[in-house]
Amino acid sequence: MRASLKWLKEYVDIADEPAVLAEKLTRAGVPVEWIEVLGTEIDKVVTGHVTAMERHPEADRLWICTIDVGAAEPLVIVTGAQNVSEGDVVPVAMVGASLPGGKQIGQAKLRGVESFGMLCSAAELALDSKLLQPEQREGILLLPRDTAIGADIRTVLGLDDVVFEFELTANRPDCFSMLGLAREIAALTGAQLKKPLLNVPETAAGDARTEISITIQDGQLCPRFAARVLKNVRIAPSPQWMQRYLNACGIRAINNVVDVTNFVMLEMGQPMHAYDYDLIEGKQIIVRPAVGAETLTTLDGVKRELHDEMIVIADAAQAIGLAGVMGGLATEVTAATKTVLLEAAAFRSVNVRRTSRELGLRS
């Protein structure tokens, strides 16, 4: 399990250096396998606003960009990137900058035009491609247009953080969450635990039981399945702070609905899942063992063969989720989703572990 130090500090004041804290946790039976300090090889890379672009007079594939980096004078940078447009906000490695792998950025002359820095791709910043959206993996990394100009890219991308990798054993389920780890740290250091306020005012009328029918066929496999129906949902990117915390813990940000379920799972240790309500056949949820040679295409696009020791979430027509492991592609939340069914359930852990291991699917 990965845990962000900055995220942990939301719940408990931590004065110890990371190595000291890791030693205390390990001695208390919460073993830290290693500590990763993010962004250590990056220096003098800031956010810049592309205010003007023109083609290089001597090269059709090169652009001359004027970049506002929040300094007194804008920078002129020549780039061969083809995905940059006027108005974009991009990472800018200024003259004297350092990049991962020991690369140093200096002033250069490209086909007779002086260039004072470099626009950076995700790869040049050594970002994990698995945590990026597909469109972010090629070309210059384009940042949200409301990103502050002249900001340190490490802060913007959450690279000013320390990540602990824990090797937790089954007898410490209390630490499989950020709040659980924060509680342990508070006990070890004497700091006060700061729990998040849980106050969600509901103004919509109606009862979820009139919107969805839930049947649990075997209470041993699923002691409890709770659901809420959320209407008039607007799918959008989640806030940058949430994306940074998820990325630090090894989870790719997808959209606001999916990211919230992952955030709460990591924060409180309660797995959650969101379904596109309009794609649930018969508006029924049936928690049952898989039957016969049943198959399910999971969210990663892989068609998987199931057997009767695996717990599935089904609708009136088919399995739509693999309990405790991964949801199904058929009811995925997408940009077209307007109504969401939110699940919070408890499943028999032995079956979940066996399913995850047999399918080679860790989530």
Side-chain angles (χ1 to χ4, degrees):
M1 174 181 170
R2 291 171 63 88
S4 155
L5 180 60
K6 290 187 72 173
W7 192 357
L8 285 170
K9 286 182 176 180
E10 299 278 351
Y11 311 117
V12 59
D13 292 326
I14 299 174
D16 291 330
E17 290 297 315
V20 174
L21 179 62
E23 178 69 16
K24 289 181 179 180
L25 287 165
T26 300
R27 287 180 177 275
V30 186
V32 178
E33 286 297 296
W34 71 78
I35 303 169
E36 181 181 1
V37 182
L38 306 181
T40 55
E41 295 185 286
I42 299 174
D43 187 38
K44 294 190 70 176
V45 181
V46 300
T47 55
H49 176 227
V50 182
T51 58
M53 293 182 66
E54 60 179 289
R55 286 201 179 276
H56 194 296
E58 301 296 329
D60 291 341
R61 299 287 295 175
L62 294 179
W63 292 91
I64 302 172
C65 302
T66 303
I67 312 287
D68 175 13
V69 292
E73 297 292 334
L75 299 180
V76 174
I77 295 178
V78 179
T79 181
Q82 302 302 308
N83 69 319
V84 177
S85 303
E86 190 173 313
D88 284 340
V89 178
V90 296
V92 179
M94 300 185 293
V95 173
S98 302
L99 294 175
K103 186 173 184 178
Q104 303 293 315
I105 304 302
Q107 184 177 334
K109 182 176 287 189
L110 300 175
R111 295 289 185 93
V113 176
E114 294 286 347
S115 181
F116 298 88
M118 185 181 80
L119 310 187
C120 299
S121 67
E124 287 159 338
L125 296 171
L127 302 182
D128 187 344
S129 62
K130 298 189 296 295
L131 301 178
L132 300 172
Q133 300 294 343
E135 64 273 12
Q136 295 177 312
R137 296 170 188 166
E138 301 293 334
I140 299 303
L141 180 64
L142 303 181
L143 303 169
R145 290 202 171 191
D146 60 355
T147 302
I149 304 305
D152 188 327
I153 198 65
R154 291 173 298 186
T155 302
V156 171
L157 297 179
L159 299 177
D160 56 342
D161 201 354
V162 176
V163 175
F164 297 103
E165 181 77 31
F166 291 91
E167 192 64 39
L168 297 172
T169 51
N171 66 319
R172 293 306 307 262
D174 56 308
C175 290
F176 278 95
S177 67
M178 300 300 293
L179 271 174
L181 289 169
R183 186 183 299 111
E184 189 74 11
I185 292 168
L188 289 171
T189 64
Q192 183 177 357
L193 181 67
K194 298 176 288 186
K195 294 183 179 180
L197 296 175
L198 301 179
N199 181 22
V200 183
E202 296 187 72
T203 57
D207 190 325
R209 287 171 293 190
T210 66
E211 306 286 345
I212 192 76
S213 166
I214 298 175
T215 302
I216 300 173
Q217 288 190 355
D218 186 341
Q220 296 295 315
L221 296 179
C222 178
R224 180 175 174 80
F225 189 105
R228 303 295 271 169
V229 176
L230 311 176
K231 297 183 177 181
N232 302 315
V233 172
R234 183 175 65 86
I235 304 299
S238 55
Q240 289 297 306
W241 63 265
M242 181 177 288
Q243 294 189 38
R244 289 193 288 268
Y245 284 159
L246 292 176
N247 286 172
C249 294
I251 294 181
R252 178 168 66 92
I254 297 174
N255 59 49
N256 49 359
V257 171
V258 175
D259 292 353
V260 163
T261 65
N262 286 329
F263 183 88
V264 172
M265 175 186 70
L266 292 173
E267 181 183 51
M268 297 189 169
Q270 171 59 54
M272 306 184 76
H273 186 65
Y275 304 83
D276 187 321
Y277 172 84
D278 294 321
L279 300 177
I280 299 174
E281 291 290 336
K283 301 301 175 276
Q284 297 179 48
I285 289 291
I286 305 163
V287 186
R288 58 169 175 77
V291 294
E294 192 168 19
T295 61
L296 170 67
T297 300
T298 45
L299 285 168
D300 56 2
V302 178
K303 186 175 182 179
R304 303 182 183 276
E305 296 183 0
L306 313 179
H307 60 72
D308 60 6
E309 288 191 1
M310 297 179 178
I311 313 168
V312 300
I313 313 303
D315 61 14
Q318 62 182 340
I320 59 173
L322 201 52
V325 182
M326 186 174 284
L329 194 62
T331 53
E332 177 185 20
V333 172
T334 68
T337 300
K338 301 298 182 186
T339 304
V340 168
L341 179 75
L342 185 63
E343 163 204 312
F347 303 107
R348 189 168 182 260
S349 59
V350 172
N351 294 71
V352 173
R353 283 199 303 272
R354 287 176 181 168
T355 298
S356 176
R357 184 171 61 250
E358 289 179 28
L359 296 178
L361 185 59
R362 294 179 63 86
S363 61

